Amino acid sequence: MFTTRPTLQGTFGMASSTHWLASQSAMAVLESGGNAYDAAVAAGFVLHVVEPHLNGPAGEVPIILAPAGGEPTVICGQGPAPAGATVEHYTSLGLHLVPGTGPLAAAVPGAFDAWMLLLRDHGTQSLAEVLHYAIGYAEDGHPPVERVGRTVETVRELFENEWPSSAEVYLPGGESPAEGTLFKNPVLGATWRRVIVEAAAAGPDRIAQIDAARRIWRQGFIAEALVEFAARPTMDTSGERHAGTLSAADLAGWSATYEAPATYDWNGWTVCKAGPWSQGPAFLQQLALLPEGADGPDGLRIGSPEYVHTLVEGSKLAMADREAWYGDAEDAANVPLDALLSAEYNTARRALITDEASYELRPGSPDGRKPRLSKHAGAVADGEQGFDAMDIPGAGAGAGAGEPTVAEDGATRGDTCHVDVVDRWGNMVAATPSGGWLQSNPVVPALGFPLGTRLQMAWLEHGLPNSLTPGRRPRTTLTPSLALRDGVPVLAFGTPGGDQQDQWSLHFFLAVALGERVRGGLDLQGAIDAPNWHQDSFPGSFYPRGMRPGSVTVEARIGDEVIEELRRRGHDVTVGDPWSEGRLCAVARDPRTGVLSAAANPRGMQGYAVGR
């Protein structure tokens, strides 16, 4: 089978990420004797530098790891809503949605502490060793990808008129970052150097220094700068200037945590995802909705019109359940995940999939419970608000790669990064860092990076699993994946793409799992290269949270036969660019032979896998 690149194979180590400099930095760590977790942390901090329009240190990162011989586990790097982030506070400001930009949308930052927890408990290298690569690219510069400059240009007026600290970093001399030049962020490099120096005062012990760095983030100079800047009234997508709610107590009182993954067994595979505070279980629900059959979706041919239709309709049902049931509920029993994944429930839900496209938002009733949607979600589903997914910045044909685009008023559909690593000892990790985008909030002048905006994903209405609630996590779109075969970790993968992540990832996984039976091995690159698609028949997670009932966006190379048949079945089909849907990364390990594999997405022209 022809692929854009080979599936890499070797026995020493493999890394795949959404930017080649992060992938190669991870490989450099492996070559220096570090393990997969050291490598992932180094890559994560490099991504903050080279993809600042897609993630930052004050953003978020869920991480799934599988230590050699150990059980998979999740590190939650999604911070909660601050104590002052109440529904009443926001509605008193005349808001019915959390703004898509500005400090009012900032949750407690989670990425830094999650990376440090991974490094402390599972890595082997020092803080200085893993930060070395990011510091180098920040201080000495790196050639930026074209999309960084494009993003900066879309918010040039906002930076120049409202966010001068961002203009200082991203418009030096009035010029946005350009390909073929060196872009530097020396303040960010200086921030990490100061953290290293201050952490070294804890003594020579590696763990003591990492814990000291975590305290510096939560209570030291970084916390002080974040809180001070969050309190400044800032222009956001509401068209008004608002101050944030983040306090010193919020930062000091939160740290990243471990939890068991949500899992689903399917045809000898066990797929591990973060819990329903993410959208990860929607992947598992889509698996559970597949037509029953020993060889997968009841003999459906991969890529056929029937196959695409079936997956689109299953995705609609899973994402409707996401709206009604997912969230960081105070009582976990209020999120009936076991029932949502049960055979009885999915047999009944599967019967809703007919030969015709559905235009309804149809959450189910697990255990007989009545689903409840937010007023906004119900309104956009009924068309009462006049919202359409095409109205969301960045939606529509050619936007499938998920790159953020920004309206003149600063409205943004931000995106994400991804990194996977497997080492020669069999340690495996998948992480999806996001948030803290350059276009999300002004750069904090003393630090070189902005706050995030994840609170825009919570509803300003009480009584929902995803209601804005102090101390609770807003439901995130971030969703790395790790899969076991017969109980042994085999595959780590993921993609940027906001609400589309668990559609594109599912298509990739099925292409790998079903294709293995034909080829006798995991064809990672072929599965990534295969034509992809997504649907927007559910309320989006990003401001202004619209939807487009009945929609399917497909890559043009999916073929006329599929496009025509989908339209005949009633789907509202948008034909995007031939290479526009998804930015997947993946690594794998064959436990029988120890052979390692890796692949990366050619879309966007910046994702790469490396290894030997």
Short mmCIF file of all heavy atoms in Angstrom, two decimals, residues 61-123:
data_model
loop_
_atom_site.label_atom_id
_atom_site.label_comp_id
_atom_site.label_asym_id
_atom_site.label_seq_id
_atom_site.Cartn_x
_atom_site.Cartn_y
_atom_site.Cartn_z
N VAL A 61 -3.13 19.46 30.02
CA VAL A 61 -2.68 18.25 29.34
C VAL A 61 -3.16 17.00 30.09
O VAL A 61 -2.76 16.78 31.22
CB VAL A 61 -1.14 18.22 29.17
CG1 VAL A 61 -0.41 18.30 30.51
CG2 VAL A 61 -0.70 16.97 28.40
N PRO A 62 -4.02 16.21 29.47
CA PRO A 62 -4.26 14.86 29.98
C PRO A 62 -3.19 13.92 29.43
O PRO A 62 -2.79 14.04 28.26
CB PRO A 62 -5.65 14.51 29.44
CG PRO A 62 -5.79 15.34 28.21
CD PRO A 62 -4.92 16.55 28.37
N ILE A 63 -2.71 13.02 30.26
CA ILE A 63 -1.64 12.10 29.90
C ILE A 63 -2.07 10.68 30.25
O ILE A 63 -2.58 10.44 31.35
CB ILE A 63 -0.33 12.43 30.65
CG1 ILE A 63 0.10 13.88 30.39
CG2 ILE A 63 0.78 11.46 30.27
CD1 ILE A 63 1.20 14.37 31.33
N ILE A 64 -1.91 9.74 29.33
CA ILE A 64 -2.12 8.32 29.62
C ILE A 64 -0.78 7.62 29.49
O ILE A 64 -0.10 7.77 28.47
CB ILE A 64 -3.15 7.68 28.69
CG1 ILE A 64 -4.48 8.42 28.74
CG2 ILE A 64 -3.36 6.22 29.06
CD1 ILE A 64 -5.56 7.81 27.86
N LEU A 65 -0.38 6.88 30.52
CA LEU A 65 0.90 6.19 30.47
C LEU A 65 0.72 4.73 30.86
O LEU A 65 -0.18 4.39 31.61
CB LEU A 65 1.91 6.86 31.41
CG LEU A 65 1.57 6.90 32.89
CD1 LEU A 65 2.83 6.71 33.74
CD2 LEU A 65 0.92 8.24 33.25
N ALA A 66 1.61 3.92 30.31
CA ALA A 66 1.62 2.49 30.63
C ALA A 66 3.07 2.10 30.90
O ALA A 66 3.85 1.85 29.97
CB ALA A 66 1.06 1.66 29.47
N PRO A 67 3.48 2.06 32.18
CA PRO A 67 4.84 1.62 32.50
C PRO A 67 5.05 0.17 32.10
O PRO A 67 4.11 -0.64 32.14
CB PRO A 67 4.90 1.79 34.03
CG PRO A 67 3.77 2.70 34.38
CD PRO A 67 2.71 2.43 33.37
N ALA A 68 6.26 -0.17 31.69
CA ALA A 68 6.58 -1.54 31.30
C ALA A 68 6.20 -2.48 32.44
O ALA A 68 6.66 -2.33 33.57
CB ALA A 68 8.06 -1.68 30.97
N GLY A 69 5.31 -3.42 32.15
CA GLY A 69 4.89 -4.38 33.16
C GLY A 69 3.87 -3.84 34.15
O GLY A 69 3.47 -4.56 35.07
N GLY A 70 3.43 -2.58 33.99
CA GLY A 70 2.49 -1.98 34.92
C GLY A 70 1.14 -1.71 34.28
O GLY A 70 0.92 -1.98 33.09
N GLU A 71 0.24 -1.17 35.08
CA GLU A 71 -1.11 -0.87 34.63
C GLU A 71 -1.18 0.54 34.03
O GLU A 71 -0.54 1.45 34.54
CB GLU A 71 -2.09 -0.98 35.79
CG GLU A 71 -2.27 -2.38 36.34
CD GLU A 71 -2.93 -3.32 35.35
OE1 GLU A 71 -3.86 -2.87 34.65
OE2 GLU A 71 -2.50 -4.48 35.26
N PRO A 72 -1.97 0.72 32.97
CA PRO A 72 -2.17 2.07 32.44
C PRO A 72 -2.82 2.97 33.48
O PRO A 72 -3.65 2.54 34.27
CB PRO A 72 -3.11 1.84 31.24
CG PRO A 72 -2.92 0.41 30.87
CD PRO A 72 -2.65 -0.31 32.16
N THR A 73 -2.43 4.23 33.45
CA THR A 73 -3.01 5.21 34.37
C THR A 73 -3.10 6.55 33.68
O THR A 73 -2.42 6.80 32.68
CB THR A 73 -2.19 5.31 35.67
OG1 THR A 73 -2.89 6.09 36.63
CG2 THR A 73 -0.84 5.96 35.41
N VAL A 74 -3.94 7.43 34.21
CA VAL A 74 -4.16 8.76 33.65
C VAL A 74 -3.61 9.80 34.62
O VAL A 74 -3.85 9.70 35.84
CB VAL A 74 -5.66 9.02 33.41
CG1 VAL A 74 -5.91 10.48 33.02
CG2 VAL A 74 -6.20 8.09 32.33
N ILE A 75 -2.88 10.77 34.10
CA ILE A 75 -2.54 11.97 34.87
C ILE A 75 -3.45 13.09 34.39
O ILE A 75 -3.48 13.41 33.20
CB ILE A 75 -1.07 12.37 34.69
CG1 ILE A 75 -0.14 11.31 35.30
CG2 ILE A 75 -0.80 13.74 35.33
CD1 ILE A 75 1.33 11.62 35.14
N CYS A 76 -4.21 13.65 35.33
CA CYS A 76 -5.12 14.74 34.98
C CYS A 76 -4.38 16.07 35.10
O CYS A 76 -4.06 16.50 36.20
CB CYS A 76 -6.35 14.75 35.88
SG CYS A 76 -7.36 16.22 35.62
N GLY A 77 -4.13 16.69 33.97
CA GLY A 77 -3.54 18.02 33.93
C GLY A 77 -4.56 19.07 33.54
O GLY A 77 -4.23 20.06 32.89
N GLN A 78 -5.83 18.83 33.89
CA GLN A 78 -6.89 19.81 33.66
C GLN A 78 -7.26 20.45 34.99
O GLN A 78 -7.81 19.80 35.88
CB GLN A 78 -8.13 19.14 33.08
CG GLN A 78 -9.35 20.05 32.97
CD GLN A 78 -9.10 21.27 32.11
OE1 GLN A 78 -8.84 21.17 30.91
NE2 GLN A 78 -9.15 22.46 32.71
N GLY A 79 -6.95 21.75 35.13
CA GLY A 79 -7.27 22.44 36.36
C GLY A 79 -8.75 22.79 36.45
O GLY A 79 -9.46 22.85 35.45
N PRO A 80 -9.25 23.02 37.67
CA PRO A 80 -10.66 23.33 37.87
C PRO A 80 -10.97 24.80 37.72
O PRO A 80 -10.09 25.64 37.54
CB PRO A 80 -10.88 22.87 39.32
CG PRO A 80 -9.56 23.19 39.98
CD PRO A 80 -8.51 22.90 38.94
N ALA A 81 -12.25 25.13 37.87
CA ALA A 81 -12.67 26.52 37.91
C ALA A 81 -12.22 27.15 39.23
O ALA A 81 -12.28 26.51 40.28
CB ALA A 81 -14.19 26.61 37.79
N PRO A 82 -11.74 28.39 39.19
CA PRO A 82 -11.36 29.08 40.44
C PRO A 82 -12.55 29.25 41.38
O PRO A 82 -13.72 29.13 40.97
CB PRO A 82 -10.85 30.43 39.94
CG PRO A 82 -10.46 30.21 38.51
CD PRO A 82 -11.43 29.19 38.00
N ALA A 83 -12.24 29.55 42.65
CA ALA A 83 -13.29 29.71 43.65
C ALA A 83 -14.28 30.82 43.30
O ALA A 83 -15.46 30.75 43.64
CB ALA A 83 -12.66 29.98 45.02
N GLY A 84 -13.80 31.85 42.61
CA GLY A 84 -14.68 32.96 42.25
C GLY A 84 -15.44 32.78 40.96
O GLY A 84 -16.23 33.65 40.56
N ALA A 85 -15.24 31.64 40.28
CA ALA A 85 -15.87 31.41 38.98
C ALA A 85 -17.24 30.77 39.16
O ALA A 85 -17.45 29.58 38.89
CB ALA A 85 -14.98 30.55 38.10
N THR A 86 -18.19 31.54 39.63
CA THR A 86 -19.54 31.05 39.83
C THR A 86 -20.44 31.47 38.67
O THR A 86 -20.17 32.46 37.98
CB THR A 86 -20.13 31.61 41.13
OG1 THR A 86 -20.25 33.04 41.02
CG2 THR A 86 -19.25 31.27 42.32
N VAL A 87 -21.51 30.73 38.48
CA VAL A 87 -22.49 31.09 37.46
C VAL A 87 -23.01 32.50 37.73
O VAL A 87 -23.17 33.32 36.80
CB VAL A 87 -23.65 30.08 37.44
CG1 VAL A 87 -24.80 30.58 36.57
CG2 VAL A 87 -23.16 28.72 36.94
N GLU A 88 -23.28 32.80 38.99
CA GLU A 88 -23.84 34.11 39.34
C GLU A 88 -22.90 35.26 38.98
O GLU A 88 -23.35 36.32 38.53
CB GLU A 88 -24.16 34.15 40.84
CG GLU A 88 -25.35 33.30 41.24
CD GLU A 88 -25.04 31.81 41.26
OE1 GLU A 88 -23.83 31.45 41.28
OE2 GLU A 88 -25.99 31.00 41.24
N HIS A 89 -21.59 35.05 39.18
CA HIS A 89 -20.65 36.11 38.84
C HIS A 89 -20.69 36.42 37.35
O HIS A 89 -20.72 37.60 36.96
CB HIS A 89 -19.23 35.70 39.24
CG HIS A 89 -18.17 36.67 38.84
ND1 HIS A 89 -18.11 37.96 39.32
CD2 HIS A 89 -17.13 36.55 37.96
CE1 HIS A 89 -17.09 38.59 38.77
NE2 HIS A 89 -16.48 37.76 37.94
N TYR A 90 -20.73 35.40 36.53
CA TYR A 90 -20.70 35.61 35.08
C TYR A 90 -22.01 36.19 34.58
O TYR A 90 -22.03 37.11 33.75
CB TYR A 90 -20.37 34.30 34.37
CG TYR A 90 -18.92 33.88 34.51
CD1 TYR A 90 -18.42 33.46 35.74
CD2 TYR A 90 -18.04 33.93 33.44
CE1 TYR A 90 -17.10 33.09 35.90
CE2 TYR A 90 -16.72 33.55 33.57
CZ TYR A 90 -16.25 33.15 34.81
OH TYR A 90 -14.93 32.79 34.96
N THR A 91 -23.13 35.67 35.06
CA THR A 91 -24.41 36.19 34.60
C THR A 91 -24.64 37.62 35.10
O THR A 91 -25.33 38.40 34.44
CB THR A 91 -25.56 35.28 35.04
OG1 THR A 91 -25.53 35.11 36.46
CG2 THR A 91 -25.46 33.92 34.36
N SER A 92 -24.05 37.99 36.24
CA SER A 92 -24.17 39.37 36.72
C SER A 92 -23.48 40.35 35.79
O SER A 92 -23.77 41.56 35.81
CB SER A 92 -23.59 39.50 38.13
OG SER A 92 -22.16 39.42 38.12
N LEU A 93 -22.55 39.82 34.99
CA LEU A 93 -21.85 40.65 34.00
C LEU A 93 -22.61 40.72 32.68
O LEU A 93 -22.11 41.29 31.70
CB LEU A 93 -20.44 40.09 33.75
CG LEU A 93 -19.51 40.06 34.97
CD1 LEU A 93 -18.22 39.32 34.65
CD2 LEU A 93 -19.21 41.48 35.46
N GLY A 94 -23.79 40.10 32.63
CA GLY A 94 -24.59 40.12 31.42
C GLY A 94 -24.21 39.04 30.42
O GLY A 94 -24.59 39.12 29.25
N LEU A 95 -23.48 38.01 30.87
CA LEU A 95 -23.01 36.95 29.98
C LEU A 95 -23.94 35.74 30.02
O LEU A 95 -24.44 35.38 31.09
CB LEU A 95 -21.60 36.53 30.37
CG LEU A 95 -20.53 37.62 30.35
CD1 LEU A 95 -19.24 37.12 30.98
CD2 LEU A 95 -20.29 38.09 28.92
N HIS A 96 -24.16 35.10 28.87
CA HIS A 96 -24.87 33.82 28.85
C HIS A 96 -23.94 32.68 28.44
O HIS A 96 -24.30 31.51 28.55
CB HIS A 96 -26.08 33.86 27.92
CG HIS A 96 -25.75 33.85 26.46
ND1 HIS A 96 -25.33 34.97 25.77
CD2 HIS A 96 -25.80 32.84 25.56
CE1 HIS A 96 -25.12 34.65 24.51
NE2 HIS A 96 -25.39 33.37 24.35
N LEU A 97 -22.73 33.03 27.99
CA LEU A 97 -21.67 32.06 27.72
C LEU A 97 -20.38 32.60 28.31
O LEU A 97 -20.16 33.81 28.36
CB LEU A 97 -21.47 31.85 26.21
CG LEU A 97 -22.55 31.15 25.40
CD1 LEU A 97 -22.19 31.18 23.92
CD2 LEU A 97 -22.75 29.71 25.88
N VAL A 98 -19.50 31.70 28.75
CA VAL A 98 -18.17 32.12 29.16
C VAL A 98 -17.43 32.61 27.92
O VAL A 98 -17.47 31.95 26.87
CB VAL A 98 -17.39 30.95 29.80
CG1 VAL A 98 -15.97 31.39 30.16
CG2 VAL A 98 -18.12 30.43 31.03
N PRO A 99 -16.79 33.78 27.96
CA PRO A 99 -16.09 34.27 26.77
C PRO A 99 -15.04 33.27 26.26
O PRO A 99 -14.51 32.47 27.03
CB PRO A 99 -15.42 35.56 27.26
CG PRO A 99 -16.24 36.00 28.43
CD PRO A 99 -16.70 34.72 29.09
N GLY A 100 -14.74 33.35 24.98
CA GLY A 100 -13.77 32.45 24.39
C GLY A 100 -12.34 32.89 24.58
O GLY A 100 -11.41 32.12 24.32
N THR A 101 -12.12 34.13 25.01
CA THR A 101 -10.78 34.64 25.28
C THR A 101 -10.82 35.44 26.58
O THR A 101 -11.88 35.73 27.12
CB THR A 101 -10.27 35.54 24.14
OG1 THR A 101 -11.16 36.67 24.01
CG2 THR A 101 -10.19 34.80 22.82
N GLY A 102 -9.63 35.82 27.06
CA GLY A 102 -9.53 36.68 28.22
C GLY A 102 -9.46 35.94 29.53
O GLY A 102 -9.78 34.75 29.62
N PRO A 103 -9.04 36.63 30.61
CA PRO A 103 -8.82 35.97 31.90
C PRO A 103 -10.09 35.44 32.55
O PRO A 103 -10.02 34.57 33.42
CB PRO A 103 -8.18 37.07 32.75
CG PRO A 103 -8.56 38.36 32.09
CD PRO A 103 -8.65 38.05 30.63
N LEU A 104 -11.25 35.95 32.17
CA LEU A 104 -12.50 35.44 32.72
C LEU A 104 -12.72 33.98 32.32
O LEU A 104 -13.47 33.25 32.98
CB LEU A 104 -13.67 36.30 32.26
CG LEU A 104 -14.96 36.26 33.07
CD1 LEU A 104 -14.72 36.63 34.52
CD2 LEU A 104 -15.99 37.20 32.44
N ALA A 105 -12.07 33.54 31.25
CA ALA A 105 -12.20 32.16 30.78
C ALA A 105 -11.10 31.24 31.31
O ALA A 105 -11.05 30.07 30.94
CB ALA A 105 -12.17 32.14 29.25
N ALA A 106 -10.23 31.76 32.18
CA ALA A 106 -9.08 30.98 32.64
C ALA A 106 -9.43 30.06 33.80
O ALA A 106 -9.92 30.51 34.83
CB ALA A 106 -7.94 31.92 33.04
N ALA A 107 -9.17 28.78 33.62
CA ALA A 107 -9.22 27.81 34.71
C ALA A 107 -7.88 27.84 35.45
O ALA A 107 -6.93 28.53 35.03
CB ALA A 107 -9.48 26.41 34.16
N VAL A 108 -7.77 27.11 36.54
CA VAL A 108 -6.47 26.95 37.19
C VAL A 108 -5.56 26.23 36.21
O VAL A 108 -5.90 25.15 35.71
CB VAL A 108 -6.60 26.15 38.50
CG1 VAL A 108 -5.23 25.95 39.13
CG2 VAL A 108 -7.54 26.85 39.47
N PRO A 109 -4.40 26.80 35.85
CA PRO A 109 -3.52 26.17 34.86
C PRO A 109 -3.08 24.77 35.31
O PRO A 109 -2.71 24.56 36.45
CB PRO A 109 -2.33 27.12 34.78
CG PRO A 109 -2.85 28.43 35.26
CD PRO A 109 -3.86 28.10 36.30
N GLY A 110 -3.11 23.81 34.37
CA GLY A 110 -2.82 22.44 34.73
C GLY A 110 -1.62 21.79 34.08
O GLY A 110 -1.11 20.79 34.58
N ALA A 111 -1.14 22.32 32.94
CA ALA A 111 -0.14 21.61 32.15
C ALA A 111 1.18 21.45 32.89
O ALA A 111 1.75 20.35 32.94
CB ALA A 111 0.07 22.31 30.81
N PHE A 112 1.71 22.54 33.44
CA PHE A 112 3.04 22.48 34.05
C PHE A 112 3.10 21.42 35.14
O PHE A 112 4.01 20.59 35.18
CB PHE A 112 3.44 23.85 34.60
CG PHE A 112 4.81 23.87 35.24
CD1 PHE A 112 5.93 24.11 34.46
CD2 PHE A 112 4.97 23.64 36.59
CE1 PHE A 112 7.20 24.12 35.03
CE2 PHE A 112 6.23 23.65 37.18
CZ PHE A 112 7.35 23.89 36.39
N ASP A 113 2.15 21.43 36.04
CA ASP A 113 2.20 20.50 37.17
C ASP A 113 2.04 19.06 36.70
O ASP A 113 2.66 18.14 37.26
CB ASP A 113 1.13 20.84 38.19
CG ASP A 113 1.43 20.22 39.54
OD1 ASP A 113 2.44 20.60 40.16
OD2 ASP A 113 0.66 19.34 39.97
N ALA A 114 1.22 18.83 35.68
CA ALA A 114 1.06 17.46 35.17
C ALA A 114 2.36 16.94 34.57
O ALA A 114 2.75 15.79 34.80
CB ALA A 114 -0.06 17.43 34.12
N TRP A 115 3.05 17.78 33.80
CA TRP A 115 4.34 17.35 33.24
C TRP A 115 5.34 17.08 34.36
O TRP A 115 6.11 16.12 34.30
CB TRP A 115 4.89 18.43 32.31
CG TRP A 115 4.22 18.56 30.98
CD1 TRP A 115 3.66 19.70 30.45
CD2 TRP A 115 4.06 17.55 29.97
NE1 TRP A 115 3.16 19.45 29.20
CE2 TRP A 115 3.40 18.16 28.87
CE3 TRP A 115 4.41 16.21 29.89
CZ2 TRP A 115 3.07 17.45 27.71
CZ3 TRP A 115 4.09 15.50 28.72
CH2 TRP A 115 3.43 16.11 27.66
N MET A 116 5.33 17.92 35.40
CA MET A 116 6.26 17.71 36.51
C MET A 116 5.94 16.44 37.29
O MET A 116 6.84 15.73 37.74
CB MET A 116 6.21 18.92 37.44
CG MET A 116 6.82 20.20 36.88
SD MET A 116 8.60 20.09 36.50
CE MET A 116 8.53 19.83 34.70
N LEU A 117 4.66 16.13 37.45
CA LEU A 117 4.28 14.90 38.14
C LEU A 117 4.75 13.68 37.36
O LEU A 117 5.26 12.71 37.94
CB LEU A 117 2.76 14.86 38.33
CG LEU A 117 2.21 13.71 39.18
CD1 LEU A 117 2.71 13.81 40.62
CD2 LEU A 117 0.68 13.72 39.15
N LEU A 118 4.59 13.72 36.04
CA LEU A 118 5.07 12.63 35.19
C LEU A 118 6.58 12.46 35.32
O LEU A 118 7.09 11.35 35.47
CB LEU A 118 4.69 12.89 33.73
CG LEU A 118 5.18 11.87 32.70
CD1 LEU A 118 4.53 10.51 32.93
CD2 LEU A 118 4.90 12.37 31.27
N LEU A 119 7.31 13.59 35.28
CA LEU A 119 8.76 13.54 35.36
C LEU A 119 9.22 13.01 36.72
O LEU A 119 10.11 12.17 36.80
CB LEU A 119 9.33 14.94 35.12
CG LEU A 119 10.85 15.07 35.17
CD1 LEU A 119 11.51 14.30 34.04
CD2 LEU A 119 11.26 16.55 35.12
N ARG A 120 8.60 13.51 37.79
CA ARG A 120 9.02 13.12 39.13
C ARG A 120 8.83 11.63 39.39
O ARG A 120 9.72 10.94 39.89
CB ARG A 120 8.22 13.91 40.18
CG ARG A 120 8.69 13.69 41.61
CD ARG A 120 7.69 14.20 42.62
NE ARG A 120 6.49 13.37 42.68
CZ ARG A 120 5.47 13.57 43.52
NH1 ARG A 120 5.51 14.60 44.35
NH2 ARG A 120 4.43 12.77 43.52
N ASP A 121 7.65 11.12 39.05
CA ASP A 121 7.29 9.76 39.44
C ASP A 121 7.71 8.69 38.45
O ASP A 121 7.83 7.52 38.82
CB ASP A 121 5.78 9.66 39.66
CG ASP A 121 5.30 10.48 40.84
OD1 ASP A 121 6.16 10.96 41.62
OD2 ASP A 121 4.08 10.65 40.98
N HIS A 122 7.92 9.07 37.19
CA HIS A 122 8.18 8.06 36.17
C HIS A 122 9.43 8.33 35.34
O HIS A 122 9.91 7.42 34.65
CB HIS A 122 6.97 7.93 35.24
CG HIS A 122 5.71 7.56 35.96
ND1 HIS A 122 5.40 6.26 36.30
CD2 HIS A 122 4.69 8.33 36.43
CE1 HIS A 122 4.24 6.24 36.94
NE2 HIS A 122 3.79 7.47 37.03
N GLY A 123 9.94 9.55 35.39
CA GLY A 123 11.14 9.86 34.62
C GLY A 123 12.41 9.52 35.38
O GLY A 123 12.38 9.03 36.52
#
